[in-house]
Amino acid sequence: QVQLVESGGGLVQPGGSLRLSCAASGSAFSTLRMAWYRQAPGKERELVAQLTDDPRTAYAESVKGRFTISRANVRNTVYLQMNSLKPEDTATYYCNAIFSPYGRTYWGKGTLVTVSS
């Protein structure tokens, strides 16, 4: 049973930083892509950042220059470093992973990030 577990969310003031972690377990295979999505109340889920196994990264325009996705030394684990946080970054952040060799996709349960003074 594949599981994705996110951690690191919380309450932070505008301009502050947080680091989210996502650990994927339960698969004998490596990931083809790991990504972070977010969903704010009343809005659709959107892609924030992704990291492929090339490795290449891609970011939403709204977070470029502020967020960084990176792979941990632990297999199938990624981080999302979020700097210069803004109130509009408030959302539940979800980890997503696509596994080789068949492209099966899995989601974490999400971690809440609240940016407020």
Side-chain angles (χ1 to χ4, degrees), residues 33-37 47-52 56-60 69:
R33 187 197 83 153
M34 294 190 77
W36 289 94
Y37 289 73
L47 177 64
V48 175
Q50 66 177 24
L51 174 61
T52 56
R56 286 183 295 175
T57 58
Y59 297 92
I69 187 170

Side-chain angles (χ1 to χ4, degrees), residues 25-73:
S25 62
S27 175
F29 301 106
S30 297
T31 55
L32 298 172
R33 187 197 83 153
M34 294 190 77
W36 289 94
Y37 289 73
R38 68 185 180 187
Q39 187 167 20
K43 294 188 177 181
E44 294 186 353
R45 190 172 297 189
E46 63 173 351
L47 177 64
V48 175
Q50 66 177 24
L51 174 61
T52 56
D53 63 345
D54 304 59
R56 286 183 295 175
T57 58
Y59 297 92
E61 284 295 326
S62 59
V63 307
K64 278 184 180 178
R66 300 188 297 123
F67 290 12
T68 303
I69 187 170
S70 61
R71 194 176 293 276
N73 289 331

Side-chain angles (χ1 to χ4, degrees), residues 2-7 20-27 29-38 46-60 68-81 93-100 103-109:
V2 174
Q3 287 189 318
L4 273 62
V5 178
E6 303 104 332
S7 61
L20 305 183
S21 299
C22 173
S25 62
S27 175
F29 301 106
S30 297
T31 55
L32 298 172
R33 187 197 83 153
M34 294 190 77
W36 289 94
Y37 289 73
R38 68 185 180 187
E46 63 173 351
L47 177 64
V48 175
Q50 66 177 24
L51 174 61
T52 56
D53 63 345
D54 304 59
R56 286 183 295 175
T57 58
Y59 297 92
T68 303
I69 187 170
S70 61
R71 194 176 293 276
N73 289 331
V74 178
R75 183 169 169 266
N76 293 341
T77 299
V78 292
Y79 301 121
L80 183 68
Q81 179 67 42
Y93 284 71
Y94 297 90
C95 182
N96 169 276
I98 301 175
F99 281 85
S100 64
R104 290 178 178 166
T105 300
Y106 298 89
W107 291 90
K109 293 183 178 180

